[in-house]
Amino acid sequence: MSSPTISARACGIDFGTSNSTAGWLRPGQSPLLALEDGKTTLPSVVFFNAEEDRISYGRAGLDDYLEGYEGRLMRSLKSLLGSSLIDGQTEVMGRALPFRELLTHFIGELKKRAEASAGRNFDTAVFGRPVHFVDDNQAADQQAQRTLEETARAIGFKEVSFQFEPIAAAFHYEQGITNEELVLIVDIGGGTSDFSLVRLSPKRASLPNRQDDLLANGGIHIGGTDFDKYLSLNTIMPLLGYKTRLQNNSEVPSSYYFNLATWHTINFNYTRKIWMELQDVYRDAREQDKLDRLLRLIEHREGHWLALRAEEAKIGLSSMPSVTLSLDRIHQGLQHDIERSDFDTAVNHLVDGVSGTVQQLLQDASLSTEQIDTVFFTGGSSGIPLLRQSIAALLPTARTVEGDLFGSIGAGLAVEAQRRYGN
């Protein structure tokens, strides 16, 4: 990859569901800016510390939460974009906090850290966006981008534009190739799976207009947090009474478990109304020992801790045949073994959705599988074995390249920022 001789005027911002990055092209240095303790990723986390009346972000926010400080942990903030929640609010530290203000808190902090790392201010940026914020709803999708643009302008960006995240990853990959390739970019992020079919080459990298090289884009609202969710529902939530029966043989209501397994709805279970409902459910439950665990979890507000355990299991099972989770906050001494096959069963329907989207993308571009030279993987959940196997089965002749799973998009957005706005 050739290094620029003059620093770019604009930066690239990858506001991710799980992690965020910022990129800026400058001579002789990596395009990614350090955002937290020398690391180029900032987990998309805000923790409102009620005990010390302060806000912490990223890993520091997670650490504060896990150390037991009283407060509210908010994660998967990007999932608010395009959802009905965006115009709502939640209670934080005794006051109503609009979700739009929550986005402003985090993205403002991301800009502040990028500027501190770069040693300069930024008033122009290219933001990444998924191919679809919302599936099959163009109006909601456009509103999601408008919300992100409004937030960016509110924190001080005067000029804002957007690029699809998989295309940004493609432009980053292109910096290091020596021949022309037809590439399928597979970006499995925290909230969405996005794909682009792109013609890349060293000669074409400097062209100002690449529209003819973009053969097709596609995406589906399935991402890493969905893999966490269904792994949790299928392997962890049964320990808390999910799918168990009441005395009348109906199931314990599933809504409590779905809320606990979904990052941005965990706090819905902490209301007085839900607590009173659960007392009635408990009295009617056939397996009260499991409901005891659920009640303990909610009483102590350990939902985010449990969601982190599910994410930990997903990461472990992406490289190991089995994991053992310590769940002592649910019940003293409780451990739970999860096999790779359990993971595959839990997420098989999600992988089918991703594979179907890739197949449709190839049809849209009128390409056969044999015409694809390279599959480039990026995004934190792109290493899930069943997903890799599924895409390999679709494209058996393509070579596989793994990019920077957390940094390719931010680096590519930096390339795009320099291309659009110059030095």
Side-chain angles (χ1 to χ4, degrees), residues 98-109:
F99 284 121
R100 288 177 182 268
E101 186 178 329
L102 176 63
L103 286 179
T104 302
H105 271 296
F106 181 79
I107 298 176
E109 182 69 15

Side-chain angles (χ1 to χ4, degrees), residues 323-386:
V323 297
T324 299
L325 293 185
S326 174
L327 301 173
D328 54 336
R329 292 197 190 187
I330 297 174
H331 185 82
Q332 185 65 39
L334 179 64
Q335 292 190 321
H336 187 52
D337 297 327
I338 306 176
E339 303 292 327
R340 170 81 62 77
S341 59
D342 299 325
F343 185 26
D344 291 348
T345 298
V347 303
N348 187 63
H349 68 293
L350 301 177
V351 171
D352 285 346
V354 171
S355 297
T357 305
V358 172
Q359 289 177 304
Q360 186 62 53
L361 190 72
L362 293 170
Q363 291 177 23
D364 292 345
S366 300
L367 292 171
S368 67
T369 58
E370 292 77 16
Q371 290 176 274
I372 308 304
D373 299 308
T374 305
V375 180
F376 179 81
F377 285 99
T378 188
S381 290
S382 66
I384 292 172
L386 185 65

Side-chain angles (χ1 to χ4, degrees), residues 87-320:
D87 291 316
Q89 58 190 30
T90 186
E91 184 179 329
V92 173
M93 296 165 67
R95 77 174 185 92
L97 176 73
F99 284 121
R100 288 177 182 268
E101 186 178 329
L102 176 63
L103 286 179
T104 302
H105 271 296
F106 181 79
I107 298 176
E109 182 69 15
L110 182 58
K111 179 178 188 288
K112 176 182 172 183
R113 293 185 184 213
E115 291 174 336
S117 182
R120 52 154 291 176
N121 294 331
F122 291 112
D123 63 7
T124 306
V126 178
F127 273 71
R129 58 148 294 167
V131 175
H132 300 299
F133 279 107
V134 183
D135 294 337
D136 303 319
N137 188 333
Q138 187 175 6
D141 187 84
Q142 291 173 346
Q143 180 57 48
Q145 179 171 305
R146 280 196 297 271
T147 300
L148 185 53
E149 181 174 353
E150 289 164 3
T151 303
R153 293 186 183 280
I155 62 171
F157 285 114
K158 296 177 181 177
E159 195 168 357
V160 179
S161 60
F162 293 89
Q163 179 58 276
F164 290 136
E165 290 158 357
I167 293 176
F171 290 157
H172 173 58
Y173 171 63
E174 187 175 51
Q175 305 300 300
I177 64 176
T178 57
N179 298 297
E180 183 172 304
E181 299 179 18
L182 185 54
V183 183
L184 171 66
I185 306 295
V186 178
D187 170 25
I188 314 296
T192 60
S193 294
D194 294 301
F195 312 95
S196 289
L197 280 166
V198 193
R199 184 182 292 107
L200 302 174
S201 77
K203 292 182 180 179
R204 307 185 74 81
S206 59
L207 294 176
N209 188 339
R210 302 296 300 278
Q211 193 62 39
D212 290 344
D213 293 332
L214 308 178
L215 306 184
N217 285 316
I220 188 169
H221 205 76
I222 292 173
T225 55
D226 298 292
F227 289 99
D228 297 346
K229 173 181 177 177
Y230 284 97
L231 177 61
S232 179
L233 285 170
N234 280 263
T235 64
I236 300 174
M237 292 301 167
L239 300 173
L240 281 67
Y242 179 51
K243 295 286 190 182
T244 61
R245 299 280 172 175
L246 301 174
Q247 294 301 333
N248 65 5
N249 205 39
S250 62
E251 284 188 1
V252 171
S254 62
S255 59
Y256 311 120
Y257 304 99
F258 273 80
N259 283 341
L260 279 176
T262 306
W263 274 101
H264 60 278
T265 61
I266 289 171
N267 290 303
F268 291 2
N269 274 359
Y270 297 157
T271 66
R272 179 172 178 80
K273 177 178 179 291
I274 294 297
W275 182 253
M276 298 306 293
E277 284 180 16
L278 282 169
Q279 306 308 307
D280 292 336
V281 171
Y282 178 80
R283 283 190 289 271
D284 220 17
R286 290 184 179 180
E287 298 183 54
Q288 290 185 335
D289 57 328
K290 294 180 179 178
L291 269 294
D292 278 329
R293 296 168 179 170
L294 176 65
L295 290 169
R296 175 182 172 83
L297 185 85
I298 290 175
E299 182 182 8
H300 293 280
R301 301 197 172 197
E302 300 282 16
H304 290 90
W305 172 85
L306 188 63
L308 287 168
R309 301 287 75 74
E311 183 182 39
E312 174 187 306
K314 176 193 69 178
I315 293 169
L317 291 167
S318 293
S319 60
M320 298 182 292

